[in-house]
Amino acid sequence: MKKMKYRSMGGLTVKDGRLVNDREPGVTGIAQAARIKKAMDKAKKVDMIAAGVTIAELREKLL
């Protein structure tokens, strides 16, 4: 009978008869939603700053 060294099962690996967890740490839905909201807020601020810079450059050219 052939002995298998490694066998993958969705991030879990059987190595020498022991189960090894190679998965990334899980993230709860609330933590994921908070991370997405923070990214959206940051993107909104970046857009505001970019718009302000553009308006300032246009005013500079006109005056």
Side-chain angles (χ1 to χ4, degrees), residues 4 7-8 11-12 14 18 23 26 28-29 40-41 43 50 53 61:
M4 295 175 63
R7 185 172 154 202
S8 179
L12 298 174
V14 177
R18 300 181 77 184
R23 295 178 185 166
T28 65
M40 288 174 57
D41 289 344
V53 168
K61 286 181 183 179

Side-chain angles (χ1 to χ4, degrees), residues 6-27:
Y6 299 98
R7 185 172 154 202
S8 179
M9 294 179 289
L12 298 174
T13 308
V14 177
K15 181 179 177 182
D16 297 327
R18 300 181 77 184
L19 193 61
V20 178
N21 185 0
D22 293 330
R23 295 178 185 166
E24 294 183 17
V27 178

